[in-house]
Amino acid sequence: MWKNVGYYNGEIGPLEEMKVPMGDRALYFGDGIYEAACVANRVPFALEDHLDRMYNSLRLLEIPFWMERDQVRAELQKVIEAAEEAPYHFLYWQVSRGVAPRGHAFPPAEVAPTLLAYVRPHRMKDLNQPYRLISLEDNRYKLCHIKTLNLIPSVLASQRAAERGCDEAVLHRGSRVTECAHSNISMLKDGVLRTAPTDELILPGIARKHLIALAKENGVPVVEEPFSMVELMNADEAIVTSSSALCMGVESIDGIPVGGRDRERFHLLQSACMEEFQRETKAR
């Protein structure tokens, strides 16, 4: 077993010693897709949802990935099982279009896609420590519903947030809120959970999907429609969701306090998310 485990096309070993061919199209073009999940008791949370999204992203990018779900699931579990014991692990995997000489057009049909993965110890976010956000204009392209490796705008947005001592950057196109640099954002207003529709401007987040389902189960109405920065700033609660942090409250945006006016309903949803995570990842 290793603390950090790496995997590339069937080869497995210490992450720090793994090698990737220089011809992998992920290196030149970011030509691929990725997924990430939190793991407890060696069980990845919501894996089937991640696989659904993975295969949809592959379809939209026209990557002819040959592995069936059962094989992908088995290969990922090999990586998880090779990791040293830890309370939680972070599982990451990506599929690129393959290894070929650099050229913008797709490589020949015989070039097989690559599968890369790693597992490392993970520390869950303190749910009692709310996020601080900054706001930035969303300058990404209009394929945000595909979980591609092309993340430079999100990298830059995350750096701006870090420079200001914040946890995330909430993005907007004009007045419309889209999502965060690497999370989804929703809000509670007048007892209703409001979240952006899953169009081409946001990623259909797995934690977001579960938050919506849990809200409905707990009698919280859900509206999936665009909302503005002004509405977000005046929300009763702002909520950030991601696979690595699940469900986090927001205390400020651009240094201005937000939320704090519907704590009971927010804590109901946050507790429901954590309970579902614990239930789905209990030891088998």
Side-chain angles (χ1 to χ4, degrees), residues 77-127:
Q77 195 63 40
K78 287 180 187 177
V79 186
I80 294 170
E81 297 298 333
E84 291 179 356
E85 203 63 48
Y88 301 103
H89 291 95
F90 181 78
L91 169 66
Y92 172 94
W93 70 99
Q94 70 179 42
V95 178
S96 82
R97 201 177 299 275
V99 177
R102 188 181 186 278
H104 285 71
F106 295 172
E110 62 267 21
V111 173
T114 67
L115 175 63
L116 174 151
Y118 73 78
V119 166
R120 58 173 171 76
H122 179 60
R123 178 176 293 179
M124 296 290 287
K125 296 285 187 181
D126 180 356
L127 299 182

Side-chain angles (χ1 to χ4, degrees), residues 46-115:
L47 180 59
E48 297 309 311
D49 292 321
H50 284 284
L51 292 175
D52 286 343
R53 187 172 63 184
M54 177 189 108
Y55 280 104
N56 186 56
S57 293
L58 290 166
R59 178 183 62 82
L60 292 171
L61 289 188
E62 303 175 48
I63 296 177
F65 190 54
W66 54 271
M67 277 194 187
E68 299 292 338
R69 289 174 76 102
D70 286 348
Q71 187 174 358
V72 174
R73 194 184 298 113
E75 292 301 286
L76 295 177
Q77 195 63 40
K78 287 180 187 177
V79 186
I80 294 170
E81 297 298 333
E84 291 179 356
E85 203 63 48
Y88 301 103
H89 291 95
F90 181 78
L91 169 66
Y92 172 94
W93 70 99
Q94 70 179 42
V95 178
S96 82
R97 201 177 299 275
V99 177
R102 188 181 186 278
H104 285 71
F106 295 172
E110 62 267 21
V111 173
T114 67
L115 175 63

Side-chain angles (χ1 to χ4, degrees), residues 26-257:
L27 301 177
Y28 294 123
F29 302 112
D31 189 4
I33 61 91
Y34 77 100
E35 288 289 337
C38 189
V39 177
N41 299 308
R42 303 193 186 277
V43 180
F45 177 63
L47 180 59
E48 297 309 311
D49 292 321
H50 284 284
L51 292 175
D52 286 343
R53 187 172 63 184
M54 177 189 108
Y55 280 104
N56 186 56
S57 293
L58 290 166
R59 178 183 62 82
L60 292 171
L61 289 188
E62 303 175 48
I63 296 177
F65 190 54
W66 54 271
M67 277 194 187
E68 299 292 338
R69 289 174 76 102
D70 286 348
Q71 187 174 358
V72 174
R73 194 184 298 113
E75 292 301 286
L76 295 177
Q77 195 63 40
K78 287 180 187 177
V79 186
I80 294 170
E81 297 298 333
E84 291 179 356
E85 203 63 48
Y88 301 103
H89 291 95
F90 181 78
L91 169 66
Y92 172 94
W93 70 99
Q94 70 179 42
V95 178
S96 82
R97 201 177 299 275
V99 177
R102 188 181 186 278
H104 285 71
F106 295 172
E110 62 267 21
V111 173
T114 67
L115 175 63
L116 174 151
Y118 73 78
V119 166
R120 58 173 171 76
H122 179 60
R123 178 176 293 179
M124 296 290 287
K125 296 285 187 181
D126 180 356
L127 299 182
N128 297 313
Q129 186 62 48
Y131 273 9
R132 292 179 294 170
L133 311 181
I134 64 169
S135 64
L136 293 171
E137 182 71 27
D138 189 345
N139 60 5
R140 301 171 300 169
Y141 62 173
K142 291 186 178 180
L143 292 175
C144 298
H145 58 304
I146 308 173
K147 200 169 177 70
T148 79
L149 300 174
N150 293 272
L151 294 174
I152 285 299
S154 294
V155 168
L156 294 174
S158 295
Q159 178 61 23
R160 299 292 87 81
E163 289 168 352
R164 293 172 59 177
C166 291
D167 304 282
E168 253 285 25
V170 57
L171 308 176
H172 58 89
R173 294 184 187 247
S175 64
R176 175 184 166 175
V177 175
T178 50
E179 56 187 345
C180 294
H182 48 86
S183 314
N184 291 119
I185 189 162
S186 305
M187 69 180 198
L188 285 168
K189 184 66 177 180
D190 298 329
V192 176
L193 178 68
R194 294 188 58 189
T195 186
T198 50
D199 55 18
E200 76 282 359
L201 298 183
I202 79 163
L203 183 75
I206 305 303
R208 171 191 173 278
K209 174 183 176 180
H210 285 253
L211 175 67
I212 290 171
L214 291 167
K216 293 176 179 177
E217 287 178 16
N218 286 276
V220 179
V222 177
V223 173
E224 295 184 65
E225 62 182 25
F227 55 87
S228 69
M229 280 300 302
V230 171
E231 290 174 301
L232 180 62
M233 296 300 294
N234 288 283
D236 295 330
E237 301 289 347
I239 304 172
V240 171
T241 51
S242 69
S243 292
S244 61
L246 297 183
C247 180
M248 304 296 296
V250 177
E251 69 176 16
S252 66
I253 301 175
D254 295 329
I256 301 171

